[in-house]
């Protein structure tokens, strides 16, 4: 199982970034794939998740209205479009996957996921 994130970088407040998570090594369909982030000195927190089998999406309060999670099923890739970025969005962003419908478990709990990417840094100044 491999999850590879890309798209991080440094932007000014109010800017946008799009993160990508490309999955391989497992059946992409019927997975809950999510974006998490971890800022220095803080716990890892869920941002947004998508159930690949039905396009169902879920957002943390911090992401609602600014972030959009989506997928390209043909490319086994999940995206996180982040708009109106704020300095408090600065963190390492991780992609995670679990072979269950997102609605069947605590999908914003990092401990529920077995598969993780290496992370991509997002810095907002």
């Amino acid at each position: 199982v491999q999850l590879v994130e890309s798209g991080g970088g440094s932007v000014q407040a109010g800017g946008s970034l799009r993160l990508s998570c490309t999955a391989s090594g497992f059946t992409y369909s019927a997975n809950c794939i999510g974006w998490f982030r971890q800022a220095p000195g803080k716990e890892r927190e869920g941002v947004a998740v998508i159930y690949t089998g039905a396009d169902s999406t879920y957002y943390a309060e911090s992401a609602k209205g600014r972030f959009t999670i989506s997928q390209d099923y043909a490319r086994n890739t999940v995206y996180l479009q982040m708009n109106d970025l704020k300095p408090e969005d600065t963190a390492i962003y991780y992609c995670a996957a679990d072979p269950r419908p997102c609605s069947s478990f605590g999908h914003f709990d990092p401990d529920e996921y077995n598969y993780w990417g290496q992370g991509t840094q997002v810095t907002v100044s």
Side-chain angles (χ1 to χ4, degrees):
V1 175
Q2 190 172 22
L3 300 169
V4 179
E5 302 102 331
S6 62
S10 297
V11 295
Q12 293 187 338
S16 299
L17 283 173
R18 188 177 80 156
L19 307 182
S20 300
C21 170
T22 300
S24 62
F26 64 99
T27 302
Y28 177 79
S29 62
N31 274 269
C32 184
I33 297 182
W35 286 98
F36 292 75
R37 66 186 183 185
Q38 188 165 20
K42 294 189 176 181
E43 293 187 351
R44 192 170 297 189
E45 62 174 1
V47 175
V49 301
I50 186 168
Y51 179 54
T52 60
D55 253 359
S56 307
T57 58
Y58 306 83
Y59 293 92
E61 284 299 320
S62 60
K64 288 180 180 178
R66 299 189 299 127
F67 296 0
T68 302
I69 190 169
S70 62
Q71 65 170 330
D72 183 334
Y73 197 90
R75 297 178 184 271
N76 286 7
T77 299
V78 171
Y79 302 100
L80 184 68
Q81 177 68 42
M82 304 186 293
N83 298 328
D84 190 24
L85 283 161
K86 306 176 187 299
E88 52 263 41
D89 295 316
T90 294
I92 299 175
Y93 284 70
Y94 297 90
C95 176
D98 186 275
R100 294 176 288 174
C102 300
S103 59
S104 69
F105 67 101
H107 45 256
F108 288 140
D109 181 355
D111 291 337
E112 292 281 351
Y113 292 80
N114 288 321
Y115 305 117
W116 290 87
Q118 81 288 352
T120 186
Q121 177 71 48
V122 171
T123 303
V124 185
S125 59

